[in-house]
Amino acid sequence: MWGAVARRGGGWRGLAAGRPPPAAWSQVVSEAEKIVGYPTSFMSLRCLLSDELSNIAMQVRKLVGTRHPLLDTARGFVYDSRNNLQMRGLVVLLISKAAGPSTADLSFQHNMVSGIYSSQRSLAEITELIHTAFLVHRGIVNIGELKSCDGPLKDMQFGNKMAVLSGDFLLANACTSLAQLQNTKVVELISSAIGDLVQGIYYENSRLSEENCLTDDIGISTWKEQVFLSHSALLAKSCQAAMELAKHSAEMQDMAFQYGKHMSMSHKLHSDLQPFVKESSNDTVVFSLNSAPAVLHQEFLGREAWIKQIKEEKGELKYLGKKCLRDAIGAGRAVPAALELCRHHGARALAALERFPPSEARAALANIVGAASGRS
Amino acid sequence: MCEYYFDGKGKAFRPMIVVLMARACNIHHNNSREMQASQRSVAIIAEMIHTASLVHDDVIDDANSRRGKMTVNQIWGERKAVLAGDFILSAASVALARIGNTTIISVLTQVIEDLVRGEFLQLGSKENENERFAHYLEKTFKKTASLIANSCKAVSILGCPDPKVHEIAYQYGKNVGIAFQLIDDVLDFTSCADHLGKPTAADLKLGLATGPVLFACRQFPEMNAMIMRRFSKPGDVERARKYVLQSDGVQQTTYLAQRYCHEATREISKLRPSPERDALIQLTDMVLLRDK
């Protein structure tokens, strides 16, 4: 599953799968998990044990042997549970703890476990549910574009059916828990984050389908807007909502939002940079023409020159991802610029944390920025 | 893409009921016909949730046409269609939050949960005949009636503080909703494709045994095997269709729908008389007599 996600240019799992040094990353996470009270891979349990999902699991077996993406996603749940780091949930819990008890309302402090309100724990779960629902919905295939090697048409239709249903099931569960929080502002925030995520994936898809032809002429600022929607909005808004649940001030809410936003932006830039910074003799380095370095390179070079370069390098774009094109991008100013941007977002995330009182939880959040943006 | 189905060509059956119910409750409570902005929002949200579920249903069923035009998935592909459905749902959810009432949020969120659970119920089937019918009615409630029942309840909560009225609104919506779907299932056998805006015998082709089939099965037990294999053998769909038309399955289902409509009328008659209340009573007849 996470391989599939990383290929599509997303996912924390890319991180867990190898870079930065996995030991460092899992250390950051396991220390952080101790702070919030218990491991964060709690989310799916209730859902996974439900009749509906076990039904799906039975049905998904029929897909074995086809190329339906749902298979990868499901496999990830079953076999990868140890690496199934639910980063978004963890960050929501940490920032809740870092902010501490509400100063405005002392009456509901008894509701706290390990310094986190039960409503904030629900929110962390909701965030993961939404994220997972869209991992599933991302894996829908267009029936009209199938090739014969993908497997029988009937199976692919069936895979789509299961993917829509299970994604909807997770989303419906998220909506129900959200309603139970009894806070209209939080419902609005998280609902709008779902809308952002959909828009972000929509852009991502429309670029994805053009993966093998010329990409849109988007500048880095458009890129940032789109990546915010697809990779940052959910976490940023969940962090903000966690503050709202504890009745923290508008300023605290904004800081939490900024942390979530910049931390995930910095992480995305970091993972986009990997194919360019790692010394590798491998000829089949895969990178996306929509990754930050490629987009910056195009911006520096100018659209015309970029297209010319692609054509000269490879003649045909389907060979993209080969070493020469990567080296061409690597030789220009794009990589240092992307690195700079990554550091910039990392620094903004750390700056947002300064408004929180010093604590273990705050330190863990800072470490996550370090690990996510490749600082050591 | 998201606006595709909001073209004013749908029946707008759900928002109509919700608006009438809102006014009927308002008059019942304080003789004011004026609808509140929040109640209007509920009507809009109801139609949005309905549309989002249509878009996803069409991907699930791999449907080609709806309301006389091509489905979203046919035009834009399944990937985008699923996202469009999600987007409409998120917009509905934002609008719901902006009403600013946590009770209303809970009531309408129940609908979203029911829709998904109803879709899951549709996947399975029961061996036992009695269980099968109960299963069918439960699925019908979750997939169709819950939306109408809970949006009626929501506008009644906004319009009137009396819990008895909320229950009346809910029961009316529930009964009308089930009757509506029963007739829908009948039309799948009796109407022609051009008129309906979608293909006929669609349920059979999807392997689904609806009311008329379940009634027909009592007269023609040989249909049992076909139901269990979900009409998957060649010729099953045609044969099942013939059995249904030979049996009194259509009449029985229509009769059942009438009983639900009577129940709806009985409930709504408890409200103070008003043109809107009477329109809701007449609406039950329209549900029974509609041909599309």
Side-chain angles (χ1 to χ4, degrees), chain A residues 25-142:
Chain A
W25 177 255
S26 43
Q27 198 184 345
V28 166
V29 170
S30 71
E31 275 166 19
E33 284 182 335
K34 276 179 220 148
I35 296 169
V36 295
Y38 50 85
T40 35
S41 39
F42 54 77
M43 173 285 284
S44 337
L45 267 184
R46 205 178 47 197
C47 273
L48 282 178
L49 293 177
S50 66
D51 286 352
E52 280 81 1
L53 280 199
S54 37
N55 193 350
I56 292 257
M58 292 290 290
Q59 310 263 13
V60 163
R61 291 195 304 191
K62 293 186 197 160
L63 291 176
V64 172
T66 70
R67 287 208 195 164
H68 201 283
L70 180 61
L71 207 57
D72 284 335
T73 313
R75 201 174 280 141
F77 282 127
V78 182
Y79 296 110
D80 208 21
S81 53
R82 230 176 67 83
N83 288 324
N84 201 351
L85 309 172
Q86 298 180 343
M87 270 307 302
R88 286 161 192 79
L90 182 60
V91 167
V92 171
L93 293 176
L94 284 171
I95 207 150
S96 301
K97 182 155 187 178
S102 161
T103 44
D105 184 1
L106 295 168
S107 63
F108 62 23
Q109 277 190 22
H110 58 275
N111 228 341
M112 277 181 135
V113 177
S114 300
I116 300 163
Y117 293 110
S118 63
S119 59
Q120 293 170 321
R121 289 191 189 269
S122 299
L123 177 69
E125 209 175 297
I126 291 166
T127 308
E128 283 300 337
L129 280 173
I130 295 171
H131 174 69
T132 314
F134 280 99
L135 284 180
V136 176
H137 275 181
R138 267 177 162 115
I140 303 280
V141 294
N142 282 335

Side-chain angles (χ1 to χ4, degrees), chain A residues 43-273:
Chain A
M43 173 285 284
S44 337
L45 267 184
R46 205 178 47 197
C47 273
L48 282 178
L49 293 177
S50 66
D51 286 352
E52 280 81 1
L53 280 199
S54 37
N55 193 350
I56 292 257
M58 292 290 290
Q59 310 263 13
V60 163
R61 291 195 304 191
K62 293 186 197 160
L63 291 176
V64 172
T66 70
R67 287 208 195 164
H68 201 283
L70 180 61
L71 207 57
D72 284 335
T73 313
R75 201 174 280 141
F77 282 127
V78 182
Y79 296 110
D80 208 21
S81 53
R82 230 176 67 83
N83 288 324
N84 201 351
L85 309 172
Q86 298 180 343
M87 270 307 302
R88 286 161 192 79
L90 182 60
V91 167
V92 171
L93 293 176
L94 284 171
I95 207 150
S96 301
K97 182 155 187 178
S102 161
T103 44
D105 184 1
L106 295 168
S107 63
F108 62 23
Q109 277 190 22
H110 58 275
N111 228 341
M112 277 181 135
V113 177
S114 300
I116 300 163
Y117 293 110
S118 63
S119 59
Q120 293 170 321
R121 289 191 189 269
S122 299
L123 177 69
E125 209 175 297
I126 291 166
T127 308
E128 283 300 337
L129 280 173
I130 295 171
H131 174 69
T132 314
F134 280 99
L135 284 180
V136 176
H137 275 181
R138 267 177 162 115
I140 303 280
V141 294
N142 282 335
I143 297 293
E145 294 164 13
L146 290 176
K147 300 181 195 80
S148 52
C149 63
D150 290 324
L153 179 69
K154 237 186 149 166
D155 291 345
M156 297 309 270
Q157 281 172 342
F158 183 76
N160 267 2
K161 183 172 171 165
M162 291 299 124
V164 176
L165 272 175
S166 41
D168 283 352
F169 177 75
L170 295 170
L171 268 186
N173 269 282
C175 287
T176 309
S177 311
L178 200 52
Q180 283 163 359
L181 293 179
Q182 302 269 317
N183 182 320
T184 58
K185 204 181 157 200
V186 170
V187 175
E188 186 175 340
L189 255 176
I190 302 299
S191 303
S192 75
I194 297 176
D196 293 343
L197 194 52
V198 176
Q199 285 181 69
I201 297 172
Y202 188 90
Y203 292 131
E204 192 181 274
N205 270 351
S206 55
R207 283 185 274 126
L208 198 73
S209 59
E210 291 154 21
E211 191 79 25
N212 287 333
C213 37
L214 282 174
T215 47
D216 288 346
D217 187 12
I218 60 161
I220 194 71
S221 60
T222 314
W223 182 90
K224 278 165 77 172
E225 281 166 29
Q226 296 184 355
V227 166
F228 170 72
L229 294 174
S230 60
H231 287 76
S232 304
L234 177 61
L235 187 61
K237 289 183 173 173
S238 292
C239 287
Q240 182 184 350
M243 300 301 102
E244 162 66 25
L245 284 173
K247 301 272 168 267
H248 285 299
S249 67
E251 195 210 350
M252 277 290 249
Q253 292 189 23
D254 186 47
M255 287 305 133
F257 177 93
Q258 298 298 335
Y259 173 80
K261 173 183 168 179
H262 291 294
M263 193 275 280
S264 39
M265 290 298 283
S266 141
H267 168 260
K268 166 70 173 142
L269 281 154
H270 178 69
S271 67
D272 274 9
L273 270 163

Side-chain angles (χ1 to χ4, degrees), chain B residues 227-239:
Chain B
I227 295 176
M228 288 319 291
R229 63 174 180 257
R230 304 192 134 233
F231 314 103
S232 54
K233 279 202 184 154
D236 273 1
V237 170
E238 265 317 300
R239 253 185 303 151

Side-chain angles (χ1 to χ4, degrees), chain B residues 4 25 57 116 119 131 163 187-189 234 274 287 292:
Chain B
Y4 184 67
C25 289
D57 281 0
V116 176
E119 201 64 50
E131 264 182 58
L187 288 174
D188 197 35
F189 286 96
S274 66
V287 164
K292 65 182 278 185

Side-chain angles (χ1 to χ4, degrees), chain B residues 129 132 212-221 223-224 227:
Chain B
E129 230 173 279
R132 205 187 276 154
V213 179
L214 295 176
F215 279 118
C217 183
R218 291 181 183 176
Q219 271 173 281
F220 300 100
M223 291 182 78
N224 257 315
I227 295 176

